[in-house]
Amino acid sequence: MMILSRFAILAALLAFWEIASGRLIQEYLVSKPSKIAETFLDWVMDGSIFFHAGITAIEALAGFVLGALAGMVLGMVLGRAERLAELLNPFIMAFYSIPKIALAPLFIIWFGIGIEMKILLTGTIVFFLVFLNTYTGVRSVSPELINILRLMGANEGDALRKVVLPSAIVWVFTGLRLSVPYAMIGAIVGEMIAANRGLGYLLSHASSQFNTAGVFAALAAIIAMSVLMNTAVSVLAHAAMPWEKARQNREIAI
Amino acid sequence: MKLESAEAMSMASRHPEAVPKEELVRFEGVSKSFGALQAVHGVSLSVAEGEFITLVGPSGCGKSTLLNMTAGLFEPTEGRVTYRGELVRPYNRKVGYMTQSDHLLHWRTVERNIAVPLEIARMPRPQIRARVEELLELVGLAGFGASYPGELSGGMRKRCALARLLAYDPETLLFDEPFAALDAQLRLKMQMEIRRIVAKLNKTVLFVTHDLDEAVALADRCVVFAGRPGTIKEVLDIPLPRERDLFGIRHNADYVGMTARLWDEMAPAAAQCGG
Ligand SMILES: Nc1ncnc2c1ncn2[C@@H]1O[C@H](COP(=O)(O)OP(=O)(O)O)[C@@H](O)[C@H]1O
Ligand SMILES: [Mg+2]
């Protein structure tokens, strides 16, 4: 039922777009769904969409994984080492306040315009989101809970494995979920700044040729990839946190 | 195995005159300050093995602080707290602690929550499984082992926390208003359960409550506090049998007399503390 309604809404939007284009608004501004689909199909036929999407996927995924791993590890370490965290706080905050995209020119100097630079850009963006969330998660672990385990004879390792890691994991996944669109930003913007391949390149290339249908087709591919990554993170989160499902199934009460 | 030997001991403890009771916890002129605030002042108390002590008093008079000191989480500012004659140091592992919030690990199922202290003790898996089954049975949670705490009612979560507490068989149990959030019926049920289990396993208990009925119904001795700073106002011996029926006790003359007396004790203290 829900799915049907959603399809109906989508169909209505596309139909309106198709009709309005060229009548209510000039076609070179918004193109039209039939033309976009045609362009998309052409790209599928000659395989170019898969090539470009593959490049972007590698950049986004590699950056995502590297940034997330680094963020988790550092978040865990600093979350437990209070003094060290306090010492490093101004540096972390200074680095955090840089708009990460502004680092792109530096990364180009270091790595050229290949995929390494996009991976690094994506990784830097994802790193901070995951780091800050993991850090907050570790810091918010209830000290009473740790005390209770200590009375049971737990050492620091037991406390870390049985309390800190699992209670921080919810926060880690919050960070991961937030990171998905930013990972795409890193990869796409990197490609728009300097590249000759990838969905971002496809996008800016189509735009530079005033190929509006091409721009929308590239956007559609980007949306599809984001949705796919979002879904993957959600599936992962469900698998890693089965208790959350039990919680959500509870009826809401005050 | 531990359960059996504990039961053998509780047989003996039914004849208290036969076994000399050893002193377990001792507070000697204990004071505790947090910065400028003095929470507890000059508390002296001796708790014997197998005793069920309840602590009552207006909130903020340092009852939780005393439990924390018994567990070694806080150090007294003045005086000393000893356990079996030795100074209590951080993490007194002879005690198990159950607070008002159950502190279950919500990412673990009931059985894996109960298994936590056993895993910490590096008990082999098959043994853990058997022990957990036994504990689920003991606290009346059989069949709920695979549920997550988030799926349980408040009373069931308390039972789970109790099972976890008993899993590693600490010789002294500290309870800090554990049933305050439960409705009257469920509370009575949990109280009966606690008395039954404690008698069966011959545990020593320090039980904080602000419910005067509970303080009398459960206790062998009831320590009445006045605040602030918290001092012991009186220690009442509760002349009720060790094997008692908490349901019928409401009509027992001794019980009624004791609670009435406690009410009279507490009224001025409550007025003084302003709640
Ligand atoms: N960890 C702490 N740090 C600072 N003050 C505390 C701490 N624990 C308790 N106190 C203070 O000590 C006093 C007694 O607290 P508590 O022992 O919790 O009382 P009770 O359990 O009888 O209600 C209160 O005024 C409380 O604010
Ligand atoms: Mg308290």
Side-chain angles (χ1 to χ4, degrees):
Chain A
M1 199 56 228
M2 193 75 142
I3 297 219
L4 277 180
S5 314
R6 282 174 182 161
F7 267 110
I9 293 174
L10 183 66
L13 276 174
L14 291 179
F16 175 74
W17 188 353
E18 184 77 33
I19 293 162
S21 172
R23 294 188 178 83
L24 299 179
I25 187 160
Q26 278 145 324
E27 195 187 325
Y28 77 89
L29 290 179
V30 295
S31 188
K32 51 166 56 177
S34 54
K35 251 191 161 165
I36 297 168
E38 203 178 302
T39 310
F40 200 88
L41 262 175
D42 282 347
W43 288 350
V44 171
M45 286 316 195
D46 68 13
S48 60
I49 189 77
F50 299 116
F51 169 70
H52 291 295
I55 298 282
T56 306
I58 289 173
E59 292 162 359
L61 271 181
F64 186 84
V65 170
L66 290 179
L69 281 180
M72 273 190 264
V73 170
L74 200 70
M76 296 274 174
V77 170
L78 287 193
R80 290 303 285 170
E82 214 168 309
R83 301 290 294 277
L84 188 60
E86 202 177 328
L87 180 71
L88 297 182
N89 184 45
F91 301 101
I92 292 170
M93 277 337 207
F95 197 33
Y96 175 64
S97 57
I98 303 174
K100 258 56 78 188
I101 296 298
L103 295 174
L106 187 63
F107 293 162
I108 291 175
I109 295 178
W110 290 352
F111 295 102
I113 63 165
I115 67 170
E116 295 88 349
M117 161 244 163
K118 285 103 190 171
I119 292 176
L120 199 62
L121 192 59
T122 305
T124 314
I125 298 174
V126 171
F127 166 79
F128 275 100
L129 286 169
V130 175
F131 164 71
L132 288 176
N133 273 284
T134 306
Y135 178 76
T136 312
V138 171
R139 293 311 295 274
S140 67
V141 171
S142 143
E144 288 92 16
L145 201 49
I146 292 188
N147 273 343
I148 284 183
L149 257 73
R150 285 295 194 140
L151 289 174
M152 295 172 185
N155 54 32
E156 174 72 17
D158 289 320
L160 204 66
R161 256 174 295 123
K162 295 191 197 306
V163 183
V164 178
L165 294 184
S167 58
I169 202 173
V170 179
W171 290 82
V172 170
F173 271 99
T174 306
L176 291 182
R177 244 183 237 134
L178 285 174
S179 297
V180 169
Y182 289 98
M184 292 300 287
I185 290 179
I188 302 281
V189 171
E191 289 165 356
M192 288 172 67
I193 294 173
N196 48 19
R197 60 191 73 171
L199 291 177
Y201 162 75
L202 209 56
L203 190 66
S204 63
H205 182 71
S207 158
S208 69
Q209 315 246 304
F210 297 100
N211 174 5
T212 317
V215 170
F216 278 107
L219 279 177
I222 291 170
I223 291 175
M225 189 177 289
S226 293
V227 168
L228 220 65
M229 271 181 79
N230 258 325
T231 312
V233 170
S234 288
V235 168
L236 214 65
H238 273 297
M241 305 183 289
W243 65 89
E244 285 290 301
K245 192 160 162 251
R247 265 196 174 179
Q248 280 157 17
N249 287 347
R250 253 180 103 81
E251 290 186 24
I252 301 297
I254 301 175
Chain B
M1 194 201 90
K2 269 185 172 164
L3 276 177
E4 280 164 30
S5 66
E7 245 177 305
M9 277 181 70
S10 84
M11 295 290 283
S13 73
R14 270 173 212 146
H15 309 281
E17 53 284 285
V19 190
K21 283 189 179 175
E22 201 182 322
E23 178 181 77
L24 213 53
V25 186
R26 182 183 182 85
F27 299 91
E28 271 176 42
V30 168
S31 300
K32 173 75 187 171
S33 302
F34 297 101
L37 173 101
Q38 191 171 35
V40 174
H41 178 75
V43 166
S44 295
L45 181 70
S46 167
V47 180
E49 200 170 348
E51 256 193 316
F52 199 124
I53 305 267
T54 55
L55 313 171
V56 270
S59 74
C61 69
K63 305 180 297 291
S64 303
T65 303
L66 285 177
L67 292 197
N68 286 334
M69 288 194 279
T70 313
L73 303 178
F74 292 168
E75 229 183 303
T77 319
E78 270 172 56
R80 18 188 264 142
V81 183
T82 59
Y83 192 94
R84 280 202 193 280
E86 283 185 32
L87 210 58
V88 172
R89 278 174 222 294
Y91 307 119
N92 179 0
R93 291 180 189 167
K94 301 279 189 198
V95 309
Y97 203 160
M98 181 163 161
T99 57
Q100 189 168 349
S101 99
D102 43 51
H103 288 308
L104 294 174
L105 309 180
H106 68 254
W107 51 88
R108 282 177 172 237
T109 58
V110 166
E111 47 193 15
R112 297 208 54 233
N113 260 289
I114 300 174
V116 166
L118 307 175
E119 288 173 13
I120 289 173
R122 310 284 184 263
M123 192 188 263
R125 292 234 163 245
Q127 246 170 293
I128 290 185
R129 199 174 286 270
R131 178 99 175 104
V132 167
E133 275 308 312
E134 200 178 291
L135 286 158
L136 284 172
E137 199 70 47
L138 182 74
V139 300
L141 271 184
F144 288 96
S147 307
Y148 285 99
E151 300 170 299
L152 301 181
S153 69
M156 286 159 94
R157 279 207 290 275
K158 291 284 181 228
R159 284 164 194 276
C160 178
L162 183 61
R164 182 179 67 174
L165 188 64
L166 296 171
Y168 62 110
D169 207 24
E171 91 191 321
T172 298
L173 304 179
L174 308 178
F175 292 97
D176 195 350
E177 309 191 16
F179 309 140
L182 301 184
D183 63 71
Q185 219 166 357
L186 202 52
R187 192 174 330 145
L188 180 61
K189 214 166 160 198
M190 288 302 294
Q191 288 166 353
M192 290 162 126
E193 210 82 321
I194 288 274
R195 276 285 327 185
R196 181 180 66 80
I197 290 169
V198 162
K200 183 172 168 194
L201 306 181
N202 195 39
K203 300 293 183 191
T204 309
V205 180
L206 290 177
F207 191 108
V208 170
T209 175
H210 57 232
D211 177 338
L212 302 185
D213 295 329
E214 184 171 76
V216 173
L218 290 179
D220 299 327
R221 276 197 300 157
C222 172
V223 183
V224 185
F225 284 82
R228 314 170 168 181
T231 48
I232 294 184
K233 193 172 175 202
E234 199 179 2
V235 181
L236 301 173
D237 279 308
I238 308 292
L240 294 171
R242 194 171 164 81
E243 303 276 323
R244 57 185 81 162
D245 161 24
L246 292 190
F247 196 68
I249 209 174
R250 315 277 144 177
H251 306 294
N252 178 312
D254 280 335
Y255 169 83
V256 174
M258 289 310 290
T259 45
R261 178 155 166 226
L262 208 50
W263 269 108
D264 296 340
E265 296 270 352
M266 297 297 295
Q272 174 197 338
C273 266

